[in-house]
Amino acid sequence: MRFPLDEALTIATAVLRGLAAAHSAGIIHRDLKPANVFLTREAIKLIDFGIAKSATVSGRSRSS
């Protein structure tokens, strides 16, 4: 499905905010694709965190 540019940017921004929130909580999605972005009239949701991974290893951030 194709969206007008302004709507596509709104969706992309919401997805990035959702990923940022997950990353802030120490969760990495690991399977981001269009099928895992759920659009409703009220919200844009990231779904299927089934293979998500914790961003910490042995109590340390992976970026360390």
Side-chain angles (χ1 to χ4, degrees), residues 22-50:
H23 289 178
S24 292
I27 300 167
I28 299 171
H29 191 284
R30 294 181 40 175
D31 192 26
L32 185 62
K33 59 188 174 190
N36 290 336
V37 178
F38 189 72
L39 306 177
T40 71
R41 292 181 192 263
E42 296 82 30
I44 298 163
K45 301 177 181 184
L46 292 177
I47 60 174
D48 194 5
F49 280 78

Side-chain angles (χ1 to χ4, degrees), residues 2-64:
R2 296 193 93 158
F3 295 96
L5 180 59
D6 61 334
E7 193 171 347
L9 290 174
T10 298
I11 294 167
T13 300
V15 168
L16 292 173
R17 285 183 177 151
L19 288 173
H23 289 178
S24 292
I27 300 167
I28 299 171
H29 191 284
R30 294 181 40 175
D31 192 26
L32 185 62
K33 59 188 174 190
N36 290 336
V37 178
F38 189 72
L39 306 177
T40 71
R41 292 181 192 263
E42 296 82 30
I44 298 163
K45 301 177 181 184
L46 292 177
I47 60 174
D48 194 5
F49 280 78
I51 64 169
K53 186 171 184 175
S54 173
T56 59
V57 176
S58 301
R60 293 178 40 189
S61 169
R62 295 194 106 194
S63 62
S64 299

